[in-house]
């Protein structure tokens, strides 16, 4: 279980090529040190628009409901699945989605800072890894949708 502060970011739309990727959504969740509140921000591209639109930020109690269990499950998943090598070379999970997690004891990111640029990764995700990553993406969406 993550202790203290952590942050995570999910970006939908990471594959590119010669041009950088065009994100459809970016969600950021931050757990400040000594706080029981998750800070959640989102920017989403509405159908037919050319840019991301910010959605009102919100706070969620990190100790109530399923929130703590979901974060613990997400953390556990990320500790067990691989990232592509070199970073940003290939979308090894095939979901056009990246997750970046940062805490004192875990730094994990797939997709690279500029997305995936059409290379080949020397590390490939197994079918089991892909199922776990899909679950990780679902968990982030549940946290973002939390009331």
């Amino acid at each position: 279980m993550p202790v203290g502060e952590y942050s995570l970011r999910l970006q939908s739309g990471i594959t590119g090529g010669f041009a950088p990727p065009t994100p459809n959504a970016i969600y950021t969740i931050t757990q400040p040190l000594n706080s029981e509140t998750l800070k959640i921000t989102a920017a989403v591209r509405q159908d037919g628009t050319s840019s991301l639109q910010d959605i009102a930020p919100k706070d969620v109690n990190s100790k109530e409901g399923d929130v703590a269990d979901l974060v613990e499950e997400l953390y556990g998943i990320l500790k067990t699945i691989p990232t592509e090598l070199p970073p940003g070379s290939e979308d090894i999970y095939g979901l056009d989605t990246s997750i970046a997690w940062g805490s004192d004891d875990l730094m994990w990111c797939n997709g690279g800072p500029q997305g995936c640029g059409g290379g080949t990764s020397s590390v490939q995700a197994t079918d089991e890894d892909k199922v776990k990553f899909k679950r990780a993406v679902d968990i982030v969406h549940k946290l973002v949708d939390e009331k």
Side-chain angles (χ1 to χ4, degrees):
M1 176 67 181
V3 177
E5 62 187 331
Y6 60 87
S7 66
L8 68 104
R9 177 180 188 262
L10 182 142
Q11 178 175 322
S12 173
I14 64 166
T15 53
F18 295 112
T22 303
N24 298 315
I26 298 174
Y27 303 105
T28 305
I29 301 173
T30 305
Q31 173 68 66
L33 189 60
N34 299 322
S35 173
E36 292 187 0
T37 302
L38 290 180
K39 305 288 186 185
I40 300 174
T41 61
V44 178
R45 179 184 318 283
Q46 303 299 325
D47 289 340
T49 62
S50 61
S51 62
L52 295 170
Q53 303 297 315
D54 289 335
I55 295 175
K58 66 178 177 178
D59 294 343
V60 172
N61 187 317
S62 60
K63 305 296 183 206
E64 287 184 4
D66 295 337
V67 174
D69 292 340
L70 288 170
V71 170
E72 185 172 348
E73 183 182 356
L74 174 63
Y75 174 78
I77 289 170
L78 296 179
K79 287 179 72 171
T80 66
I81 59 175
T83 59
E84 73 281 352
L85 190 63
S89 58
E90 181 181 0
D91 180 10
I92 64 173
Y93 294 104
L95 294 178
D96 196 21
T97 300
S98 71
I99 295 176
W101 172 284
S103 63
D104 285 345
D105 62 340
L106 179 64
M107 297 300 278
W108 192 97
C109 182
N110 71 305
Q114 297 301 317
C116 291
T120 301
S121 172
S122 65
V123 174
Q124 294 295 316
T126 65
D127 288 343
E128 182 182 344
D129 294 333
K130 290 177 182 180
V131 168
K132 287 180 179 180
F133 184 76
K134 172 131 181 29
R135 174 64 182 151
V137 170
D138 291 344
I139 289 170
V140 175
H141 284 287
K142 284 184 179 185
L143 291 169
V144 168
D145 292 342
E146 192 74 28
K147 302 290 181 214

